[in-house]
Amino acid sequence: MNGNGRHTNAPQALIIEARPKTYAIDVRVFVATIMATMVVAFGAGLMMGPTDARLAVPVLSFLGIDLPQPVQLPDAAMKSEPIVGAMSTQSLMPSTPQARNSNSKSATYMVGEVSPNGEIIINKEGDEAASDVLIKQAKRTKTEHVATLGYKIRETHVNIDTPVLEGTGDVPHERDITYDRINKENDGNIRDQTMPSGQHLLVDMKNLEADFLNSESRLARAMQDSVIAGGLTMLSYHCHSLHPAGVSCVGVLLESHISFHTWPDEGVITLDMFTTSEKPLLPVLPSIKELFGIPRVNAETGEKEEVVTVWSHELRGFRTEDARKVHHLDGNSDISKHVTSPLEVVYKEHVLNMQTDFTRIDIWDVKERDETPSYQDGLRLGLAPQDPRWFSYEDASPSRLLFLDGVLHMDNQTDRVFHETLVQPAMFAHPSPKSVGILGGGDGGSLQEVLKHKSVTDVTMVELDEKLVSVSKEYLPRSSDCSDIVGSQPSCFDDDRVSLIFTDAFAYVKDKFGSKESSEKFDVLVADLNQPENQVEYTDADTVNSLVESLSPLGVLVINAGESPMIVDPRADKGMNPNREAFTKLLEAHPKIASIFVYEDAQAGYVDPTSFLVACRDSSCRKYWYGQTDEINYHIYDRLQPLKSKKPAMVQFDGATQRGYQVPPRAWETVYCRREPEPFECAYRGLDMTKELFEYYPKNEDESAFVIRESKEGAENDAAVYATVDIPEGSYIMPTHLAASLEVSEDSAKDSNATAHLDGVGEADVLTDFVEYIDENGHSARDGSGKIYVEIGGSRVMRESDDASEVNIRRWVPAHPDGSRPKYSPVYDRHRYSFDIFLVASRDIKAGEEIVKPGDLWDY
């Protein structure tokens, strides 16, 4: 046996060479077998498949199959539906040349019988004519294709049943319409081929009469009348009745087309009309509703059912940017987004369309498919819990929308929320507003909010369009209803404190405050106008200067700043809101503006959250802006007029709402920090995760990075803080203790001090000690909010020094290079608390070294 475990001397096995076993086959037999198989398969295909008779007859004769004498194709067979998947009548061969060339339906074919299910039967002739069927051409299974699935869905709308109904319209113009003729003779009716654009109207209707939907002639008449009603030109039309019910029609217009399809059993028609004419297409909609809206009768009640109409209008093609901007139905306009385009808006009622000297006014009542009854709807209808009507849009009250030149100006379901959000934060940012200016606001919503304040003595409202005020009174009365406010009038516009001026708002401000000093100033100026992207005046330096000059020394300005930014947005001046950014920078650069705030609200009636901007002439408004929840709620109670109905004066705004406005969403910070160069404070949007935290644990010296010991003899403090470990530069010093700092308002500290020394009561030692502790360990917030942050942990024991060589810690966020906080900074607004409390090592600190802070640590 060798080393691999094998025997080396074992007998060798007998080796036999292997060869594959073979069989002899004659090639001729093989080929003959293949040919015979092909012949049999071919014959089977002739007998069983949909084979042309001209090919089938010679083959059947060759196979010895007797063929019958030519017979007349039964009338029933000729009138039967076309055979699907079998030998059709058009493929059967006529027996004579005359028959082959005949267009007559009674041509003679070599066929015995056509069964009701479409099978072709060929019988033996003579004595065996009545015997068994010799060949039966079975109908093949229908193809599983969308076009042939009709038999699976009630077998409707599959096959043409009757001849086409067609005709031509009256054409008032020559059919040879050329580019030159259009330019020379265009009278509004000729198709406009100069611009590749058009209008598309889609209309869906249900609960219609079945007989009407199944009548080619009635539908064709309605189609022609609709075209006439739209001032369009019908060139020709074609209608097809379908089996077993329904009609499809298309009309060729000089301007493009109209087409529809009907489902009589379901009572439904779907219609579309497209034109290349610039003539408005929406005016034809009422005619379509009238002509096609033939209601069906309910079989159970015997009453006519209400016709439901859903429609959509779109501008199609490629217009120039200038043409798109001025068209109120452009896809980017609010009226298109909220009303005319979406099919989900199932109820659309055009209440008013008015063109004034200054603007186009549209008012629509709308309901969306997924809309449900409101709380007020439930009270009105007496809806009980689990009532199915809670889930139906049909029982919801419609929203009334006001559009000015296609821009959504107001939604009566959310107008109070919008106007509270616009007006009240600015009103409460002022200590006691008396004179208020309103630019725009013709619906009266902002005026209503201003007149709720007791302190207001006069309101100047500057509105361009007097007719807008009249329209608002008639169609939107709730917005200007002051009947519930104590001391006001039924209409806010009639309040004695109100002065209405009908002129251009920006021109008024520039004329009154731009070039000359005016003694009349506004404590609060509310710009209830379009957002900056639709109001180019906000980018004009003279206009912005006039707005600022119109404010009193403590004055506050507020505007609707438009759609809120998103985190993915580019730099503000390059994105969707360059005008807003330009306006903001003009305010930042203005020497009489001290602070700027942005905030947003998602309940203001728009699809996306709506943003607002407040600018103050004095930094003291920060104290009111950053008020505590209870503090703001008290001001609301104290400063607003009571309502006669005893209802709350506000539906949205309160202290908690204002607290939410104090911190802008992160998207504002993100877009702000994309400015170039990047603002200084953007480097401190969060704690540096690469730096260590060094904590003080009084009861666990082994884990603590610091220890407190008695100070050296002669030191000012009784104790001092020492490091127990090496601390690298930039590390955070006692962050947990500092985060626990006590927040006290300056007013509370002042009141506590006064209360501690009341005459006739004696000294309140506890309060006295508390006030002294605040003085020794507290520092005022740098944001001007009137807050004092009082250190209560180990950091208060650290020794202070004016000797820079001793100091080894500093504030986390250094003083701004400009020497003060920026007027506008979402970063400071979002991180103002952490910016005012955290400390870091200003250099490397060795173990055993005393922690020393600068004497001016919290000075600004």
Side-chain angles (χ1 to χ4, degrees), residues 504-582:
D504 180 85
F506 289 112
Y508 169 84
V509 172
K510 290 179 71 173
D511 180 65
K512 190 173 182 65
F513 304 102
S515 58
K516 56 186 178 181
E517 186 66 26
S518 174
S519 59
E520 300 177 8
K521 300 284 188 177
F522 299 125
D523 294 325
V524 176
L525 179 60
V526 180
D528 190 0
L529 300 163
N530 284 331
Q531 58 170 299
E533 304 318 309
N534 296 327
Q535 203 81 58
V536 70
E537 290 86 350
Y538 282 121
T539 65
D540 178 64
D542 291 338
T543 299
V544 174
N545 179 68
S546 299
L547 293 173
V548 175
E549 291 294 340
S550 71
L551 300 176
S552 63
L554 298 179
V556 181
L557 166 69
V558 62
I559 73 163
N560 170 10
E563 186 176 320
S564 299
M566 299 179 65
I567 290 177
V568 297
D569 287 352
R571 201 175 77 191
D573 59 346
K574 292 184 177 181
M576 297 297 294
N577 294 282
N579 288 359
R580 180 170 66 198
E581 178 73 352

Side-chain angles (χ1 to χ4, degrees), residues 465-482:
D465 200 339
E466 185 173 1
K467 289 185 178 179
L468 177 58
V469 174
S470 301
V471 166
S472 299
K473 286 181 179 180
E474 180 177 357
Y475 294 95
L476 303 161
R478 191 183 70 177
S479 296
S480 58
D481 183 4
C482 284

Side-chain angles (χ1 to χ4, degrees), residues 569-697:
D569 287 352
R571 201 175 77 191
D573 59 346
K574 292 184 177 181
M576 297 297 294
N577 294 282
N579 288 359
R580 180 170 66 198
E581 178 73 352
F583 176 68
T584 304
K585 288 187 173 182
L586 287 172
L587 289 176
E588 290 178 86
H590 201 288
K592 292 186 179 180
I593 290 296
S595 54
I596 302 170
F597 310 99
V598 290
Y599 61 101
E600 64 181 51
D601 200 296
Q603 308 296 321
Y606 293 87
V607 176
D608 297 307
T610 305
S611 59
F612 304 85
L613 184 147
V614 165
C616 304
R617 281 198 62 167
D618 192 86
S619 60
S620 63
C621 78
R622 292 185 181 274
K623 176 181 178 181
Y624 300 98
W625 186 262
Y626 292 130
Q628 296 290 336
T629 299
D630 294 340
E631 182 182 3
I632 297 169
N633 284 337
Y634 172 77
H635 287 313
I636 292 175
Y637 168 81
D638 182 57
R639 289 167 54 169
L640 295 188
Q641 291 279 13
L643 299 184
K644 299 174 185 178
S645 63
K646 308 300 181 182
K647 294 179 181 179
M650 305 284 192
V651 296
Q652 164 83 351
F653 184 81
D654 61 7
T657 303
Q658 176 62 28
R659 288 283 283 180
Y661 295 160
Q662 294 169 6
V663 182
R666 188 167 184 174
W668 285 97
E669 174 186 80
T670 302
V671 175
Y672 170 79
C673 288
R674 290 185 176 132
R675 284 184 171 184
E676 296 177 3
E678 182 182 83
F680 162 79
E681 64 273 21
C682 292
Y684 302 94
R685 283 179 278 174
L687 297 181
D688 190 343
M689 303 300 291
T690 65
K691 303 298 183 181
E692 296 183 71
L693 308 179
F694 290 87
E695 299 282 5
Y696 171 54
Y697 301 112

Side-chain angles (χ1 to χ4, degrees), residues 827-842:
V827 180
Y828 274 96
D829 285 335
R830 285 176 53 81
H831 305 283
R832 56 193 177 88
Y833 183 74
S834 60
F835 280 15
D836 273 334
I837 62 169
F838 287 126
L839 302 174
V840 296
S842 58

